[in-house]
Every structure is written in C-alpha cells, then in structure tokens.
Amino acid sequence: MQELRPSTARGIANHGWLNSHHTFSFGSYRDPQHQGFSDRLVINDDRVQPAQGFGTHGHSNMEIFSCVLEGALEHKDSMGTGSVIHPGDVQLMSAGTGVPHSEFNHSTTEPVHFLQIWIVPNVKAVEPNYQERGFSTADKRGRLQLIISPDGADGSLTIRQDARVYAGLFDGAEQATLDLGPDRYAYVHVARGSVELNGQRLSEGDGVKLRHEHVLTLSGGQQAEVLVFNLRPQELPAL
C-alpha cells in the first residue's frame, strides 16, 4: 500500500531567518495523522538565511542526520566536532546521553538548504558519536546509494537502529529498483525535482509511506534527488 504525503500538506514555520517545512509533527506544528513513520520521526526541509542558524541547543537519545542540498552548513558540538558540510555530504549525530550543538549557515551571502532527519534509536543513554561522509554525484547517479545502515555496509554511516537510508539521483531514462525484503515499511522523500515511484508521479517535497510493499521502482526522473528509508514495520502511537 502506498500513501501519499503531498508537499503542500506539510507544516510551515517561517521565522524570517529560517523557512522550514515539516513533513511530520515538529515544534508547534502538530498533526496526529503525521507524527512520524516507523522509527523515522522527523523530516524538516530547512532554508536558512546567510550567517544565521540554530544557536547551541541539546539533543539526547536520537539519531539525527543532515543532508545539504545547496550551500554550506557549519556544525559545532560538545564532542569537539567542528565541520562544514556541502552538497553530497551526510552528517550523523548519535546524541545518546546528550549533546549540545549548533548549526549555522556558513556563508555570509548565500542561503543554505538542507534536510534534517531524526530516527529513534534502539538503545538509549549510550555514548554520543559523530560521523560524516561525502557521497559523490557518481555514487548516486541512476542508482540508490546506501548512505546509512545499522552495520556500516558499503561505506555507509552507522546508525543505532534497524533502518537503512538510500540516496539517488534520477534523470531521463535512469531507473533503480530496491528490494525491501519481507514485512518491511518504506518511506520515499523527493528532495528535489520530480520522479515516478511505482508509476506514481511525485514532485519536490512529496513523500510516500509504503507498507508491506516488497519492491519499489524509481523512474522517469526530472533532475530528481530522492531519499529512500527501509524501516521496521511498526506504527508510532497516536498523539
């Protein structure tokens, strides 16, 4: 079963320096029908103005990763990590017992556009950890590149949950098929452009929940950038 989550139905938080679209409940936006899916809790599509950002704040017991689509994002945290990530880079912070961190637009002239995604871990109160890796255009062109997994397969970042995240770029005749395995859920998010998922046309910001579908196929892309989540088959409790 496929369930569309259209981009136009997302929550919006516009603070001037930040324009954020919330696929699922976050902050002051609450929708009991859309508060996460399986262990994936948050997808925020954030655009931050030059030299602006999120001041130091804390997280705990959450797996948080960011993918930059345009611009440059600067990260600093209490573990001593300081880095600037660019398009193609993925950073993963396993907050564990707690991590104060900040995120700012590294540029004084250009906005930054990135996705921040939260996944609930399968273990709590563990030592925090930070990982980062760049995935090239060639890695993702016309295929689904594994970027996050529980076992670090294929050079992916290691997450504390039974979840796998893939990233792909699709244009024209490029096509990819993913075997999800039996009794799995999946979520597909279109970060940019448009693409067909199992014959259903999707546009930028659209998402689809898939329950008990064994295979998904992406095709007919128009400058599309896509994230695919392979997840445990479970529903979060209602708010």
Side-chain angles (χ1 to χ4, degrees), residues 2-22:
Q2 294 188 187
E3 179 186 345
L4 176 65
R5 174 62 163 152
S7 63
T8 53
R10 295 180 295 175
I12 299 175
N14 192 337
H15 302 286
W17 65 272
L18 166 69
N19 187 3
S20 182
H21 287 72
H22 306 324

Side-chain angles (χ1 to χ4, degrees), residues 22-215:
H22 306 324
T23 296
F24 298 97
S25 296
F26 184 84
S28 60
Y29 170 65
R30 285 290 181 266
D31 184 336
Q33 301 303 313
H34 299 284
Q35 56 159 353
F37 186 61
S38 180
D39 297 302
R40 208 240 338 87
L41 188 63
V42 167
I43 300 179
N44 287 348
D45 186 341
D46 291 341
R47 289 172 169 83
V48 177
Q49 292 302 306
Q52 300 293 316
F54 304 89
T56 301
H57 59 286
H59 296 285
S60 62
N61 296 320
M62 193 63 64
E63 305 288 291
I64 301 171
F65 75 93
S66 298
C67 302
V68 173
L69 303 174
E70 297 176 283
L73 182 68
E74 183 174 0
H75 167 95
K76 294 181 180 179
D77 62 43
S78 60
M79 295 180 285
T81 305
S83 64
V84 178
I85 63 171
H86 300 86
D89 294 338
V90 180
Q91 68 172 22
L92 171 62
M93 187 176 74
S94 299
T97 54
V99 178
H101 80 135
S102 63
E103 294 168 295
F104 276 83
N105 185 343
H106 185 66
S107 173
T108 59
T109 59
E110 300 295 329
V112 61
H113 179 198
F114 67 101
L115 300 177
Q116 185 168 108
I117 295 153
W118 296 11
I119 294 178
V120 179
N122 57 16
V123 59
K124 294 184 177 182
V126 294
E127 183 178 357
N129 186 40
Y130 178 89
Q131 304 165 68
E132 179 184 319
R133 187 192 157 179
F135 295 90
S136 70
T137 296
D139 290 332
K140 298 177 286 186
R141 173 54 59 196
R143 62 187 295 268
L144 288 170
Q145 169 67 47
L146 184 65
I147 62 172
I148 289 176
S149 71
D151 55 8
D154 300 329
S156 58
L157 305 182
T158 305
I159 197 171
R160 292 163 171 161
Q161 185 50 268
D162 178 13
R164 288 168 177 80
V165 185
Y166 301 81
L169 301 170
F170 299 95
D171 209 22
E174 294 170 339
Q175 178 175 306
T177 297
L178 181 65
D179 186 348
L180 299 168
D183 299 321
R184 298 292 287 182
Y185 282 7
Y187 192 85
V188 175
H189 179 81
V190 182
R192 290 192 291 191
S194 66
V195 71
E196 288 188 5
L197 167 65
N198 294 348
Q200 181 178 17
R201 194 77 198 170
L202 305 175
S203 299
E204 180 173 324
D206 286 348
V208 175
K209 300 176 182 178
L210 297 99
R211 297 176 174 89
H212 308 301
E213 296 280 346
H214 291 176
V215 176

